[in-house]
Amino acid sequence: MGYDKSIAAFKEAYEVIPGGVDSPVRAFSGVEGTPPFIDHGKGGYLYDIDGNRYIDFVQSWGPLIFGHCDSDIEAAVIEAAKKGLSFGAPTTVETELAKEIVDLFESIDKVRFVSSGTEAVMSAIRLARGVTGRDDIVKFTGCYHGHSDSLLVQAGSGAATFGNPSSPGVPADLTKHTLLATYNDIESVKQCFADSKEGVACVIIEPIAGNMGLVPAEESFLQELRELCDANGALLIFDEVMSGFRASLKGAQGITAVKPDMVTLGKVIGAGMPVGAFGASREIMSHLSPEGPVYQAGTLSGNPVAMAAGLTSLRKLKSNPSVYVDLGNKAKRLMEGFKSAADAVGVPMVTDVRGSMFGFFFSDKPVKNFADAMENDQKMFAKFHKGMLDRGVYLACSSFETGFISTATTDEMIDDAIKAAYETLGEVSK
Ligand SMILES: *Cc1c(COP(=O)(O)O)cnc(C)c1O
């Protein structure tokens, strides 16, 4: 495959955009080669500006559960766009989408729309602090909740510890209220509660972690987390920006019996348009402006074109819930294929699947938390990624990302990707 036009485009972009990209994950920093610049997508395929075709397992990092250019979503967006792109005034489509979400999620009576997952989580945290009157929050090492100040906190040395900012520009005064715990380790959460002097407003978790690779939380861990929050008067927030409508129609909440106090949504909820949302009980949401004192706002929040895309996508999913069986089967077959290809050449690999989400690590032991994930063979991943890309398979360019199946991903695409994995692993394991 030739990448000449993408290489030139990347150089040109580099001159005027930091790193040549508008989100760092796109830069191929952890793998070999330059990022293909995309011309268009169709169904399960992506096409770059050099004319290469790829089977797309990234799907804009999750949102495109119906693949590219789904005709229903496309029609809804065009129809909405013709009426005007934005009004900054209420529209009925917001209520319609809100009703669909309230209907799906037991823990949500009311929902507020925003324009990104980052904004959804940032606002949910503010609301949790406003409701409880406490400042401290607990997050898990390796969970990503967007790039807002309080949440941009990295791993300490594994033990529960007060967070240090993981980026210059984030005041330590702010992140000192963010306590770090270890995923799937309840003792580390208890330590955070013990360390917090002023009390914990909320614990935020990806109930199916997708930002350290795919690492699901154990059911017993989530149950203990629920009990710990209740015992301490802290709110439990499920960040389902990625797992919502992906792991199942109800996200992680279709899988676990544990009920959160607040939920954040994004990605699939906008079907490729910028939408995020956060929701909770009527009581909690009543603290939000203009009903209550906790301020939150947005010029483009509930944008009618974005809402139309989300509503169409959600209604399609609801009217055909069996899609998740098919998506899950394809994800399982893909991971079994990758695993067989790795076994055939003696390369260690562990895999996991949750609905349309799949993950694999070049590792010989199960991955339960971020420290485990860090032990994966990242050099092997970089070579695998390059070999797959050269064979027309577009995987996320980091070993800490989750892969996605769309309804446009065909059995033939799965077969082709498995064949590419056999060829690539045969080559790179030598
Ligand atoms: C992607 C993601 C976010 C951030 O969403 P953006 O739309 O990128 O701001 C937050 N939380 C989780 C779990 C995510 O996967």
Side-chain angles (χ1 to χ4, degrees), residues 116-118 121 144-146 206 211 239 241-242 267:
S116 70
T118 294
V121 178
Y144 178 68
H145 303 292
E206 289 179 76
N211 289 289
D239 181 355
V241 169
M242 186 189 290
K267 298 194 169 115

Side-chain angles (χ1 to χ4, degrees), residues 125 129 135-146 148-167 170 172 174-197 200-206 212 221 225 228 369-371:
I125 296 280
R129 284 172 161 159
D135 290 340
D136 287 350
I137 62 175
V138 176
K139 85 171 275 285
F140 294 89
T141 301
C143 281
Y144 178 68
H145 303 292
S148 72
D149 285 350
S150 296
L151 293 160
L152 207 56
V153 181
Q154 254 178 0
S157 56
T161 174
F162 285 92
N164 294 310
S166 63
S167 165
V170 178
L174 255 171
T175 55
K176 75 179 183 200
H177 292 294
T178 306
L179 287 73
L180 284 170
T182 305
Y183 205 73
N184 279 322
D185 174 1
I186 199 68
E187 291 307 318
S188 72
V189 188
K190 286 183 184 161
Q191 190 59 50
C192 288
F193 274 96
D195 288 348
S196 171
K197 290 189 188 67
V200 172
C202 62
V203 175
I204 182 160
I205 187 167
E206 289 179 76
M212 50 174 143
F221 172 69
L225 205 55
L228 205 54
N369 57 43
F370 189 56

